[in-house]
Amino acid sequence: MPKVWRRLLLVALVAVAVFAGFSIYADVSKLGDRLAHLAPGAVVAALLLALGNYVIRFWRWELYLRAVGVEAPRKTSLQVFVAGFAMSVTPGKLGELVKAVLLREAAGAPVERTAPVVVAERVTDLVALVILGIVGVAAYGVARSMVVAAAVVTGAGLAVLSSRRLAGGVIALVARIPRVGRIAPRLYDAYRHMGALVRPRPLAWATALGIAAWLCECIGFAVICRGFPGADVPLGLATLIYAATTVAGALSFLPGGLLVTEASMTLLLVEWAHGLDRPAAVAATIVTRLCTLWFAVILGIVAFAALRRDKPAAAAALAPER
């Protein structure tokens, strides 16, 4: 089994342990009762909204590829894009950089051009979620410190990427690190393409698409919460909670934001949502994570299998260790 898949299995087992821990926290019998009364249509709607998120982000992916001068067959591009979802449970989703390698093997696209696209995706996702969080804080005043901290960290990262001098300084520091320093020339080349993606105009339209994409999942979260009898969770509050906890999980650099996202989402629901007791809040959190994070991982595994069938050479990027 390739090392990357072993790690994915390990993270899945950790997620099971996290969910089990939250089940005990909520009282297993009460949790089962809340899940039994969840409207099935809410789950279906959340899954469809998650698909809407992926469609919008794929559109952005295609626009990004054109911006860096990469052309790939639409089917191959889609398979690579979705295959990257399997790496959603890596720290900060950095594992999605495998998309650059897969696209090189499947379509001959230079990694120096496509790796910046993956980084730009993550940056604009964070910016979009922070904006959604800021709007929510302005309306509800909840999770203010969490959103402010995320905004500061995201803003600092964006400032580095947008400034040739700052980015050059960071790469120069990397160049001094033994063994790692040899990749500095590639980093300079990659940053040259990154610069075209973080200019005001591309940053604006990519962030707008990111807001639309993540708003789909925020709505899905609200639908799931309202799927429990007696629950009253306004869309604005649901958007704030989902955006803030997703960013917190991403910036924690834990695989998939495990534990950080679940814990903060549950606590905010218990404290601020009306009609959701602790077992219902845990149930809403677990179902949401299954319909977003783990649904994406499953789609990613299926897409990689399809890519391996259609483009066998691409599978070599994740070849088993000898």
Side-chain angles (χ1 to χ4, degrees):
M1 179 185 291
K3 184 178 181 180
V4 66
W5 298 124
R6 290 202 300 269
R7 289 180 177 176
L8 180 59
L9 177 60
L10 177 60
V11 173
L13 292 175
V14 171
V16 170
V18 169
F19 288 167
F22 273 80
S23 299
I24 295 172
Y25 167 75
D27 188 320
V28 176
S29 61
K30 292 181 179 179
L31 176 63
D33 177 71
R34 302 302 185 275
L35 288 171
H37 289 87
L38 172 63
V43 176
V44 174
L47 290 172
L48 291 175
L49 285 162
L51 285 175
N53 171 295
Y54 309 150
V55 169
I56 296 172
R57 286 164 59 196
F58 175 64
W59 179 19
R60 182 184 61 185
W61 162 262
E62 286 280 279
L63 292 174
Y64 266 150
L65 290 181
R66 293 179 190 174
V68 296
V70 171
E71 294 184 6
R74 183 66 57 83
K75 180 181 178 181
T76 300
S77 177
L78 177 61
Q79 288 175 330
V80 169
F81 175 77
V82 179
F85 291 168
M87 300 296 106
S88 296
V89 288
T90 54
K93 291 188 177 182
L94 291 179
E96 287 197 14
L97 283 168
V98 75
K99 291 192 295 188
V101 179
L102 291 174
L103 203 56
R104 179 192 64 193
E105 299 298 327
V111 171
E112 291 77 10
R113 293 191 179 191
T114 54
V117 168
V118 180
V119 175
E121 284 185 297
R122 298 289 68 78
V123 170
T124 49
D125 280 343
L126 284 174
V127 173
L129 286 165
V130 166
I131 290 173
L132 289 172
I134 290 174
V135 172
V137 167
Y140 293 92
V142 178
R144 181 181 288 105
S145 59
M146 186 183 299
V147 173
V148 169
V152 170
V153 173
T154 302
L158 187 58
V160 171
L161 291 174
S162 301
S163 169
R164 181 170 297 181
R165 177 176 297 179
L166 291 176
V170 172
I171 296 174
L173 289 175
V174 171
R176 297 178 182 178
I177 301 175
R179 296 185 181 181
V180 178
R182 61 188 178 185
I183 68 170
R186 293 186 179 181
L187 291 178
Y188 279 116
D189 192 20
Y191 180 72
R192 183 167 58 84
H193 296 288
M194 170 64 73
L197 303 179
V198 293
R199 290 171 184 161
R201 184 174 180 180
L203 182 63
W205 60 251
T207 299
L209 289 175
I211 290 173
W214 290 103
L215 187 57
C216 286
E217 290 201 353
C218 292
I219 295 172
F221 175 56
V223 170
I224 288 173
C225 291
R226 294 178 184 180
F228 293 92
D232 179 21
V233 182
L235 176 57
L237 179 61
T239 297
L240 168 57
I241 293 176
Y242 188 84
T245 56
T246 299
V247 172
L251 295 181
S252 73
F253 267 77
L254 290 172
L258 289 175
L259 189 58
V260 171
T261 299
E262 288 83 0
S264 54
M265 186 177 289
T266 297
L267 292 175
L268 288 174
L269 283 175
V270 170
E271 184 173 0
W272 296 100
H274 297 291
L276 284 178
D277 57 9
R278 188 168 69 183
V282 170
T285 297
I286 291 175
V287 173
T288 297
R289 294 290 272 169
L290 290 174
C291 290
T292 53
L293 175 64
W294 292 103
F295 178 47
V297 171
I298 291 172
L299 289 179
I301 293 172
V302 172
F304 181 78
L307 185 64
R308 182 171 58 181
R309 179 198 63 205
D310 297 340
K311 300 286 184 178
L318 299 180
E321 294 180 331
R322 299 297 181 185

